[in-house]
Amino acid sequence: MKNFTFKKRKSLNNKTNGFTLIEILLVLSIISILSLISISINNSLYHKMLLETTANKIKSALLLAQQLSIAETNSYCFEFINSTNTIRVREAFVGGKIIFKEKISNQLSIQPFYFDDVTYNSEGNTSYHKFYLVNKNNKKIQIETMVGTGKIKISKIY
């Protein structure tokens, strides 16, 4: 008679410490969805902040023109140059000295509603001016200068 020896079978319950492909793909897809959401939120927040800070720069330039007019008893104007997307403050006569000049972002534009060069007389007064600062998402801020006083009014984003 022959001796038969039985070998033990390996158990099917051998567990490894790794992850399955499906688990890895599921985690990667969740991470990618969350990152896309955060990028779009950051992008809209960036455009909103760009709009607000540029509106404040324009307000500062308008106030500079007004203060220079009062201090030097001379007329100064604020103007927007569409071709170069630049704002500037200068003396209000032809060839007048440029006091302040700054290029604004190409992602913004100024749409005139009632807008010429905003000119302040020697007492710091101006006529009524109104224009819109618009970003690429079509969000806008309205900027107005008031008759007589020259006060500047900036609306909320809408």
Side-chain angles (χ1 to χ4, degrees):
M1 231 189 223
K2 291 187 179 177
N3 282 347
F4 289 100
T5 57
F6 292 101
K7 291 184 180 178
K8 287 188 178 180
R9 285 189 182 177
K10 287 189 178 180
S11 163
L12 294 177
N13 291 334
N14 285 344
K15 297 227 177 189
T16 59
N17 291 333
F19 296 105
T20 64
L21 181 61
I22 293 174
E23 289 171 334
I24 292 172
L25 290 176
L26 184 63
V27 168
L28 287 175
S29 64
I30 290 171
I31 290 172
S32 63
I33 289 170
L34 291 175
S35 66
L36 285 174
I37 291 170
S38 69
I39 288 172
S40 66
I41 290 171
N42 288 338
N43 193 20
S44 65
L45 183 64
Y46 167 76
H47 287 295
K48 179 181 175 184
M49 294 307 293
L50 181 64
L51 193 62
E52 288 177 355
T53 56
T54 305
N56 286 327
K57 282 181 188 178
I58 290 172
K59 182 178 181 178
S60 296
L62 286 164
L63 288 172
L64 174 66
Q66 184 182 35
Q67 292 303 314
L68 284 170
S69 297
I70 294 169
E72 297 181 9
T73 60
N74 194 2
S75 294
Y76 281 85
C77 71
F78 165 86
E79 57 190 3
F80 177 73
I81 303 163
N82 273 327
S83 60
T84 59
N85 224 26
T86 305
I87 58 172
R88 69 181 184 181
V89 174
R90 66 173 179 83
E91 294 177 322
F93 55 87
V94 176
K97 181 180 171 185
I98 297 172
I99 307 300
F100 172 79
K101 181 178 180 181
E102 186 170 341
K103 185 170 175 38
I104 65 172
S105 173
N106 289 332
Q107 297 177 358
L108 300 174
S109 65
I110 292 182
Q111 295 177 350
F113 178 78
Y114 185 80
F115 178 79
D116 299 306
D117 295 346
V118 180
T119 303
Y120 290 92
N121 63 18
S122 59
E123 293 149 8
N125 298 328
T126 187
S127 59
Y128 180 76
H129 299 279
K130 178 179 175 181
F131 53 96
Y132 298 99
L133 185 62
V134 183
N135 68 11
K136 287 189 172 188
N137 297 338
N138 247 2
K139 301 286 184 190
K140 52 177 92 170
I141 290 182
Q142 176 181 303
I143 303 171
E144 297 175 278
T145 59
M146 300 298 143
V147 176
T149 61
K151 288 186 179 181
I152 299 125
K153 185 176 170 184
I154 298 178
S155 72
K156 299 275 186 198
I157 294 176
Y158 60 96

